[in-house]
Amino acid sequence: MKPTLPVVFAGILSFSLSTQASARLVAAPDLFENGPVALAAIKLESDEITSLMLLESVIDISSSAVLANSCQTLEGIYPIEISADGALNKPETNFGKISSSENTEPLVLNATMEADNSFHGQNINIRQTKNGKLKEILIQEYSSVVTVNRELTLLSIHSNANVSGQNNTLMPHQNLLIKHFYDEQKPDNQNQYILGWGAASLSKTGFPLNLAWLRFKALKASGKLKRVILQEDRLIGNSPCRILIEGVAEIKKDNEKKNQQNIAIKGVMTISRPQSLEDNPVAFEF
């Protein structure tokens, strides 16, 4: 027997009220309090762009694993490693690794940079090279199309992956993400900060199931990327769930290729259940 309209509306109202408290905590940065603003283009080298997009995909694939199972199942600390030179159509030199203490083989992602378009921007295609696991969660065929605009102020990701759930059956998951970036130069500080803010929609077998709030912060000193933080907070569910990536960047010169540099980012990804979205990590205070 199908539920009556009053029952359906009551369920929708109940769902809306249950998520309202979390929604109030999600506010746009002060920069946008008075509406749209004109933003200057962000300048990053190709290896820096590639490495940051790999980090975005690391957090993206991890959010699908959490959705397929639970935050409690995936709670833990995962070492991550990024290496990128930003070379076009060279996925073998642009990769990211996520390690789990339960597995000897890391989950590996490779990035293929396409040539940039002077009007539209640039695409980066990121693929999983072989089957991998986060703890005991099997992940197959992750792929994402990452697009950044010409000014590097907007990012979008459309991704797909097959992820094993609580019944150990692989199910297709899809994520849609949009994030905005802007520069911040503090008057009393010579360092440059790149901040990001956005949202992601997570779906399973084509049906939207969750929404996440995204934050980002990167430090550039002397024109070089030094530190980066990515954070994703689940907005719908029985409990908060946070995925936090903290990484330190190091630029390495390639002696065999003149004018070619390679960026290496090492850090950790932490999946946890904070008390609330207001429980902000101290990682952002730099």
Side-chain angles (χ1 to χ4, degrees):
M1 179 179 178
K2 294 184 178 180
T4 62
L5 285 177
V7 172
V8 174
F9 288 142
I12 294 174
L13 178 61
S14 173
F15 174 80
S16 176
L17 291 175
S18 69
T19 59
Q20 187 176 9
S22 293
R24 280 201 301 267
L25 298 175
V26 180
D30 296 342
L31 180 70
F32 303 104
E33 282 185 348
N34 297 320
V37 293
L39 296 174
I42 296 174
K43 297 186 181 300
L44 291 174
E45 300 295 334
S46 60
D47 60 324
E48 294 174 326
I49 297 172
T50 309
S51 64
L52 293 180
M53 298 309 107
L54 281 164
L55 285 174
E56 294 284 357
S57 290
V58 167
I59 211 167
D60 180 57
I61 196 172
S62 302
S63 65
S64 291
V66 169
L67 178 65
N69 294 269
S70 69
C71 193
Q72 183 177 5
T73 301
L74 273 297
E75 265 190 308
I77 298 175
Y78 304 81
I80 59 172
E81 180 183 347
I82 303 293
S83 180
D85 60 12
L88 296 180
N89 301 311
K90 292 281 188 178
E92 65 274 12
T93 60
N94 296 282
F95 60 88
K97 298 179 180 180
I98 317 170
S99 300
S100 301
S101 58
E102 292 79 2
N103 302 299
T104 57
E105 290 293 326
L107 192 156
V108 180
L109 301 175
N110 288 85
T112 302
M113 292 279 288
E114 295 183 3
D116 63 321
N117 182 294
S118 60
F119 178 76
H120 293 290
Q122 189 168 27
N123 287 339
I124 304 99
N125 298 301
I126 297 179
R127 301 286 184 270
Q128 182 181 3
T129 57
K130 60 181 179 179
N131 294 348
K133 289 184 177 181
L134 289 181
K135 287 192 173 179
E136 297 302 325
I137 308 306
L138 178 63
I139 302 173
Q140 291 183 346
E141 299 179 354
Y142 173 84
S143 65
S144 65
V145 178
V146 183
T147 303
V148 290
N149 67 341
R150 183 180 57 179
E151 295 81 13
L152 295 179
T153 57
L154 279 174
L155 157 72
S156 69
I157 296 179
H158 182 194
S159 69
N160 296 272
N162 294 320
V163 186
S164 63
Q166 296 176 353
N167 59 358
N168 293 322
T169 301
L170 286 165
M171 300 290 287
H173 287 68
Q174 308 84 30
N175 295 341
L176 295 171
L177 176 152
I178 186 165
K179 184 181 286 186
H180 176 74
F181 297 101
Y182 56 97
D183 274 329
E184 182 180 273
Q185 185 80 45
K186 296 181 179 179
D188 57 344
N189 195 326
Q190 296 299 315
N191 293 329
Q192 175 191 2
Y193 295 93
I194 302 173
L195 305 180
W197 174 82
S201 169
L202 287 66
S203 300
K204 178 180 178 180
T205 63
F207 294 93
L209 292 179
N210 219 315
L211 185 69
W213 175 37
L214 311 171
R215 281 180 281 179
F216 173 94
K217 187 174 183 179
L219 166 65
K220 290 189 72 176
S222 302
K224 301 297 183 182
L225 191 65
K226 296 295 185 181
R227 187 175 177 187
V228 60
I229 304 290
L230 293 89
Q231 181 172 316
E232 177 177 294
D233 281 297
R234 180 168 67 184
L235 295 181
I236 300 172
N238 296 326
S239 67
C241 187
R242 173 170 293 163
I243 305 175
L244 177 69
I245 291 178
E246 304 175 70
V248 176
E250 180 183 359
I251 303 296
K252 297 180 179 179
K253 292 289 185 179
D254 191 329
N255 294 327
E256 296 181 359
K257 300 177 182 178
K258 294 182 178 180
N259 301 322
Q260 181 74 53
Q261 67 179 25
N262 185 85
I263 187 169
I265 299 178
K266 292 186 177 181
V268 295
M269 176 176 67
T270 304
I271 299 178
S272 63
R273 292 176 291 169
Q275 294 298 314
S276 71
L277 294 183
E278 290 181 324
D279 184 16
N280 291 322
V282 294
F284 276 89
E285 301 302 321
F286 68 87

